[in-house]
Amino acid sequence: MSKANTPKPDTPKAEKAETLKPRLPRGFVDRRAGEIAAQGRMLETIRRSFELYGFEALETPFVEYTEALGKFLPDLDRPNAGVFSFQDDDEAWLSLRYDLTAPLARFVAENYDALPKPYRSYRAGYVFRNEKPGPGRFRQFMQFDADIVGAGSVAADAETCMLMADTLNRLGLGGQYVVKVNNRKVLDGVMEAIGLAGPDKAGQRLTVLRAIDKLDRLGVDGVRDLLGAGRKDESGDFTRGAGLDATAIGRILAYVSFQADAANGADKMAFWEKFFAGWHDAVGDSETGREGIAELHAIMRLCAAAGYGHDVIRADPSVVRGLEYYTGPVYEAELTFPVTNEDGQTVRFGSVAGGGRYDGLVGRFRAEPVPATGFSIGVSRLFSALQLVNSPLLAGAEAPGPVVVLVLDRENMADYQRLVALLRADGVRAELYLGAAGMKAQMKYADRRRAPVAIIQGSNERLAGEVQIKDLIAGAQAAESIASNAEWKAARPAQVSCPEADMVAQVRAVLSRHFPAAAQ
């Protein structure tokens, strides 16, 4: 057999590696430059508002010891009690923080003697919840908190409510919100009145509180189900209820369903005198409940004395807050303008911030009690609200993209890098094209980068010590009036040649025409 006809042995074809499907985990979101910049302007406004009240910045890590965080989350049906947890190499359990308050308690306890008391701090950062994701419900989201630690007086709670109001005013939401205030002690008094006092009823009380906290979202009928046997949601999932009888359910619903507004007298202190008298009936002989009413009354008087009317800050029995660590006043900032929900129904936007007093949280680490109060802004939700009202704060000034230096002769890359360095040294945002495409594709790239200027230098310009500066914004405007490609090439609109030494000044002149503020 000839060598030419000798059969070749079978060789397996190289198996193509399986391509991964890019997937974003459920409950998480990606955000691009425009949204990040707009949110940054919102956060800066909040920061200035907090600092005006004397709060100072603090940052804590994403990860804490699980035991330091405690078990306070409302979603107990999820793994790890609603927290993402893992073991360290020393077998200690660590968790991603689920809010910014529990880490603050750990920080204060650890640095207690070195901190001024009361200690005012603000923190902004991402928190994580191992909960079932859904529309508007994320596993990672940002909060912006302000807290006062070491002040037991309800004057601290009143000032916190005032700060919530002032911050929303500075964000341009004046007249479109109300800060609602309640007190966990009043709720505890109601619990005593319906026979849910004592440590053996703690779990049932917490179920009741979490049911009330869903009043805005589920309505009276949904809360009634959760106070009774339980409720099945739209997906078919069943949530076990508190198991109360009809009389107890009726008493709770009568208490939490009351809504007051300025039209029926909420702007008159006399109205609130009568209103709080009705709350005494709800708590009966409970000393805890009566103490809570007195604290609420004091908060309302302090806010009124500072000029905050009851149309801005008012008592509301429906405010509960789902976290277990609250011990006294609790409050929420609710936006009152209408929006359309997924079912096409017109509803209020709802809560964008909330908090309350948590006197026992820091005390878990110390022998003596440490009073504390504060609130948290839901950054994503507040950002959505500002988008709905077309807030000019989010629009801001249009920012230019980077000046792009094109690469026509790759063997002269060092010369192009030198041009980029000259621009950056003068504070001009610039980048060197690092791809492998030709000039036409590079111009398309510059357009996608929203570049205001392209720098072009071929071999002829290099020999002459010059560059071509192309004003891409003026060029796009001129292109609308140029009919043919031949005209375009002949006119070369908005493109000038200049010595390399004048490049930065020429670029700044272009930026100043289109972006006066950015060119400063």
Side-chain angles (χ1 to χ4, degrees):
M1 183 180 291
S2 68
K3 188 175 181 180
N5 293 327
T6 302
K8 295 179 180 179
D10 292 334
T11 55
K13 295 182 179 179
E15 294 185 4
K16 185 178 179 181
E18 184 178 351
T19 302
L20 290 175
K21 180 180 180 181
R23 294 186 301 158
L24 181 69
R26 291 186 310 127
F28 297 86
V29 295
D30 294 320
R31 297 185 306 129
R32 300 192 68 174
E35 183 179 343
I36 294 171
Q39 181 175 285
R41 290 189 289 273
M42 181 187 78
L43 295 177
E44 177 61 17
T45 301
I46 297 171
R47 182 192 65 78
R48 289 198 303 267
S49 179
F50 288 2
E51 290 187 347
L52 187 65
Y53 272 64
F55 289 79
E56 64 180 40
L58 172 68
E59 182 176 285
T60 59
F62 287 79
V63 177
E64 297 276 353
Y65 283 111
T66 302
E67 63 182 10
L69 291 178
K71 296 181 179 180
F72 298 110
L73 279 176
D75 198 342
L76 296 180
D77 296 329
R78 298 292 296 172
N80 302 323
V83 185
F84 288 103
S85 300
F86 58 94
Q87 269 187 303
D88 201 355
D89 53 9
D90 60 359
E91 298 187 354
W93 277 98
L94 302 171
S95 295
L96 297 182
R97 63 190 182 194
Y98 60 78
D99 71 359
L100 300 177
T101 308
L104 171 67
R106 187 270 308 158
F107 171 83
V108 170
E110 197 170 13
N111 299 277
Y112 191 80
D113 293 334
L115 294 174
K117 267 84 66 184
Y119 174 57
R120 295 173 178 243
S121 76
Y122 67 82
R123 285 113 26 241
Y126 285 104
V127 299
F128 305 86
R129 303 280 175 92
N130 187 11
E131 298 177 344
K132 182 179 178 181
R137 188 172 185 178
F138 301 102
R139 288 172 166 173
Q140 174 185 313
F141 51 95
M142 181 176 284
Q143 293 182 334
F144 204 142
D145 288 19
D147 293 79
I148 304 174
V149 179
S153 168
V154 292
D157 300 286
E159 181 152 304
T160 302
C161 293
M162 297 175 201
L163 176 58
M164 293 173 77
D166 285 355
T167 301
L168 293 177
N169 287 337
R170 290 187 173 88
L171 289 167
L173 293 169
Q176 301 180 84
Y177 70 88
V178 61
V179 177
K180 304 187 298 184
V181 194
N182 198 3
N183 197 315
R184 276 290 184 85
K185 294 178 181 178
V186 180
L187 290 163
D188 288 343
V190 175
M191 299 296 175
E192 291 180 24
I194 63 173
L196 290 186
D200 59 319
K201 302 287 186 179
Q204 196 174 10
R205 286 198 302 274
L206 193 56
T207 303
V208 170
L209 292 176
R210 288 168 178 163
I212 296 171
D213 195 38
K214 296 179 173 65
L215 182 64
D216 283 347
R217 183 162 58 90
L218 302 180
V220 172
D221 291 338
V223 173
R224 180 181 287 108
D225 292 341
L226 290 175
L227 292 174
R231 177 181 179 273
K232 182 181 291 187
D233 64 19
E234 295 78 3
S235 67
D237 289 346
F238 182 79
T239 302
R240 186 185 299 275
L244 302 181
D245 60 34
T247 301
I249 292 173
R251 185 164 189 167
I252 290 174
L253 290 178
Y255 163 68
V256 301
S257 298
F258 178 86
Q259 295 293 329
D261 55 41
N264 67 11
D267 60 338
K268 300 175 183 177
M269 187 57 75
F271 171 85
W272 289 99
E273 297 280 355
K274 181 178 179 181
F275 175 53
F276 286 127
W279 281 24
H280 279 284
D281 295 335
V283 301
D285 296 328
S286 168
E287 291 185 9
T288 300
R290 291 176 179 270
E291 181 181 337
I293 292 171
E295 290 178 356
L296 269 174
H297 207 166
I299 292 172
M300 298 308 299
R301 287 197 302 271
L302 289 168
C303 291
Y308 297 81
H310 300 301
D311 57 329
V312 176
I313 300 175
R314 67 168 179 252
D316 189 307
S318 68
V319 179
V320 175
R321 305 299 299 161
L323 292 175
E324 188 179 355
Y325 54 58
Y326 291 122
T327 59
V330 286
Y331 18 81
E332 286 185 349
E334 179 183 292
L335 300 185
T336 55
F337 57 79
V339 295
T340 303
N341 65 13
E342 296 174 350
D343 300 324
Q345 301 169 324
T346 300
V347 296
R348 286 187 171 188
F349 188 90
S351 175
V352 293
R357 178 162 288 278
Y358 51 97
D359 286 349
L361 200 55
V362 182
R364 294 186 307 126
F365 302 97
R366 300 184 61 84
E368 73 274 24
V370 181
T373 190
F375 78 101
S376 176
I377 293 174
V379 170
S380 297
R381 189 163 177 80
L382 180 56
F383 185 82
S384 297
L386 294 178
Q387 287 177 314
L388 284 173
V389 299
N390 296 315
S391 169
L393 176 69
L394 301 190
E398 183 182 1
V403 172
V404 176
V405 176
L406 307 190
V407 176
L408 276 62
D409 304 313
R410 301 194 180 280
E411 64 273 16
N412 294 300
M413 187 68 79
D415 291 314
Y416 295 118
Q417 189 67 69
R418 178 176 54 81
L419 298 179
V420 174
L422 289 172
L423 291 164
R424 291 172 178 165
D426 200 65
V428 176
R429 187 182 178 207
E431 68 169 84
L432 176 65
Y433 177 75
L434 297 176
M439 182 174 177
K440 185 177 180 180
Q442 290 187 47
M443 291 298 294
K444 287 184 177 179
Y445 170 82
D447 182 62
R448 296 191 69 177
R449 292 288 285 130
R450 297 179 298 104
V453 176
I455 304 296
I456 304 168
Q457 188 183 64
S459 56
N460 292 336
E461 287 89 1
R462 186 175 301 104
L463 287 173
E466 296 180 345
V467 295
Q468 295 283 334
I469 296 177
K470 189 172 185 62
D471 182 338
L472 298 179
I473 297 174
Q477 295 167 348
E480 298 176 0
S481 61
I482 296 179
S484 68
N485 191 42
E487 284 183 276
W488 172 269
K489 289 183 177 179
R492 303 181 79 183
Q495 184 168 323
V496 298
S497 179
C498 74
E500 286 186 8
D502 296 337
M503 177 187 68
V504 173
Q506 290 286 346
V507 168
R508 283 208 168 273
V510 174
L511 293 177
S512 66
R513 286 198 298 270
H514 300 301
F515 306 95
Q520 301 302 316

